[in-house]
Amino acid sequence: MSLNSQTLTGSGQDWTTNGSSSSSSRRGPMENERMILKPSTPTRNPIPPENAITIAVSAQVLFNMEKEQQIYEQQGMEGYIQYQREHETEPFSPGPACSFVKALEAVNTQLRKLYPDSEELFDVVLMTDNDAEVGPRLNNTINHHQLFIERFCETGGNRPVADHTHLYLSSDPGKVREALAKGIAAAIMFTPEKMNEVSETQLRVAFDGDGVLFSDESERIFKKDGLEGFQEHEKTHEKDPMKHGPMKCFLEALGKLQNKLNVNGQRMDCPIRTYLVTARDDGSAGKRAMNTLSSWGLEIDEAHFLAGAPKGPKLEEIRPHIFFDDQKSHVDGAVEMGTVACHVPYGKANELSKKGVMGKETSAE
């Protein structure tokens, strides 16, 4: 197996809830769960959830709230709320998801130009466990950074995300696992110490293959029978599609919008670009990956088969807004080189770490 890389360029549930409009940190579970419709600047009509591609993002990955988290842990909810009130006009600094959310809005801008009446747009929902009294600071921060987020969902920690969500991003492993268990694409987002500059006009999304776009069936063969067993299995099943993994539905959503935006056949200039960055080689293992995507009716703009080489350098070259991988070591390597990377705790690679993070984690998210 060579260590080179090859690039192929080619072709439910409503968010509105019935909770009380009053706010108190001592409310019951159902009273503490409600939706806030927030007018952005400039104001836009909310996108109907049933037609949108819904991206749920926790406050702690959209903004940098490390200091506030420390205050919550040291002083409890009352001290946390008091601090937020006193700093209401002080915006949070951007978090790892901020550039991704801005890129989604850039795609929406292009879609609105081409299809003024279409409701097939990205709809970002801010997820937070915070008491509503913290809302004004979040509002001010969103307007300060010129983000277009019309909806907040305050769950009180009871329900992680609505069933129709296409992608859920959080720093809380327990909530991400709960979402994955419901069949929702979800990942734990990590923050690089220094983030790479990314495109302001083209959304770039990079995916690992096994355990992310595809199921982990081949990965299980590799762990059981080693490299030779894996290669023989992929050669034998080269034309057999793999089962889908947790991020397939998000790639489908991106592909649907790509087809709408690719009106002049200029694929390279499309406002959305997708990447497969996998440890597979470019032999039978790579062919099976591409055959699987083809059998689903999906395309990937670039496929990089690294044959076990580190992914960080290739991702630094691509500069995606977001990268998904089921193996924490690959996520760590990407983060070290400035890529905003997300861990998908799914499949064989994460079975041993599953215990201990299924429970609710203490967070001021």
Side-chain angles (χ1 to χ4, degrees):
M1 184 184 295
S2 61
L3 294 181
N4 66 320
S5 71
Q6 179 183 10
T7 301
L8 302 180
T9 304
S11 28
Q13 183 175 350
D14 200 298
W15 281 106
T16 305
T17 59
N18 296 320
S20 167
S21 60
S22 63
S23 173
S24 168
S25 60
R26 295 172 293 277
R27 289 176 298 186
M30 289 306 294
E31 292 176 312
N32 205 29
E33 184 178 323
R34 68 192 187 95
M35 168 57 74
I36 297 175
L37 292 181
K38 172 200 170 293
S40 296
T41 304
T43 302
R44 290 181 177 175
N45 293 328
I47 303 168
E50 61 272 16
N51 299 328
I53 296 174
T54 302
I55 311 295
V57 182
S58 80
Q60 282 196 334
V61 296
L62 185 58
F63 305 121
N64 185 339
M65 301 177 69
E66 290 184 8
K67 182 177 181 179
E68 287 72 17
Q69 177 66 21
Q70 291 175 358
I71 291 172
Y72 173 80
E73 293 171 355
Q74 295 168 4
Q75 302 179 24
M77 182 59 75
E78 294 301 327
Y80 173 80
I81 291 175
Q82 182 62 32
Y83 178 86
Q84 298 285 36
R85 286 174 179 165
E86 293 172 354
H87 295 78
E88 182 176 308
T89 60
E90 179 183 324
F92 296 108
S93 60
C98 197
S99 61
F100 174 62
V101 169
K102 285 189 174 183
L104 297 178
E105 178 57 30
V107 173
N108 279 354
T109 299
Q110 293 299 316
L111 285 166
R112 288 186 177 103
K113 287 180 181 178
L114 291 171
Y115 308 98
D117 298 325
S118 176
E119 295 176 342
E120 290 183 332
L121 301 164
F122 290 112
D123 184 24
V124 178
V125 178
L126 182 63
M127 305 290 293
T128 175
D129 290 347
N130 281 314
D131 191 282
E133 294 172 39
V134 182
R137 190 178 182 193
L138 289 171
N139 280 339
N140 292 335
T141 301
I142 286 172
N143 291 329
H144 173 80
H145 293 296
Q146 298 182 319
L147 301 175
F148 293 90
I149 299 176
E150 278 100 7
R151 278 196 274 243
F152 290 2
C153 188
E154 293 184 338
T155 67
N158 301 308
R159 185 179 64 188
V161 67
D163 291 337
H164 65 263
T165 302
H166 294 81
L167 178 65
Y168 172 53
L169 301 173
S170 174
S171 60
D172 188 319
K175 291 176 185 175
V176 167
R177 287 187 181 277
E178 289 173 14
L180 286 170
K182 293 173 64 177
I184 297 168
I188 308 161
M189 180 170 271
F190 292 85
T191 308
E193 186 172 332
K194 184 178 180 181
M195 288 182 275
N196 294 329
E197 291 185 8
V198 291
S199 174
E200 295 182 356
T201 58
Q202 185 181 61
L203 170 65
R204 298 178 184 176
V205 183
F207 302 89
D208 177 34
D210 298 283
V212 177
L213 289 180
F214 316 126
S215 74
D216 69 331
E217 58 184 89
S218 295
E219 197 165 302
R220 289 178 180 273
I221 295 292
F222 176 79
K223 290 187 179 296
K224 178 175 175 284
D225 299 330
L227 181 59
E228 285 191 17
F230 166 79
Q231 290 177 327
E232 182 61 32
H233 178 268
E234 296 306 289
K235 184 176 181 180
T236 303
H237 297 275
E238 184 178 302
K239 296 183 179 180
D240 299 332
M242 289 176 277
K243 297 178 181 177
H244 69 81
M247 289 291 157
K248 179 203 171 190
C249 60
F250 183 47
L251 178 61
E252 283 180 322
L254 293 176
K256 186 176 182 181
L257 292 186
Q258 277 184 312
N259 289 335
K260 294 185 67 172
L261 290 163
N262 191 26
V263 290
N264 297 317
Q266 301 296 318
R267 185 101 183 174
M268 287 291 293
D269 297 326
C270 181
I272 300 174
R273 193 156 184 83
T274 56
Y275 304 80
L276 174 66
V277 182
T278 172
R280 287 171 173 257
D281 62 22
D282 56 3
S284 295
K287 290 177 182 177
R288 191 180 185 204
M290 301 308 291
N291 288 340
T292 298
L293 291 172
S294 179
S295 73
W296 293 344
L298 297 178
E299 296 181 10
I300 205 88
D301 293 307
E302 295 184 19
H304 300 270
F305 300 104
L306 303 183
K311 298 180 180 180
K314 177 56 65 177
L315 291 167
E316 186 180 28
E317 177 186 320
I318 293 170
R319 301 202 169 224
H321 293 85
I322 193 167
F323 168 61
F324 299 98
D325 202 296
D326 68 315
Q327 297 198 38
K328 186 62 165 51
S329 60
H330 294 315
V331 172
D332 292 341
V335 169
E336 286 177 7
M337 299 195 70
T339 297
V340 173
C342 299
H343 179 217
V344 182
Y346 168 88
K348 181 70 174 177
N350 295 279
E351 284 182 351
L352 294 178
S353 62
K354 190 171 183 179
K355 294 182 179 179
V357 295
M358 279 300 293
K360 186 184 296 183
E361 305 223 343
T362 302
S363 170
E365 185 174 287

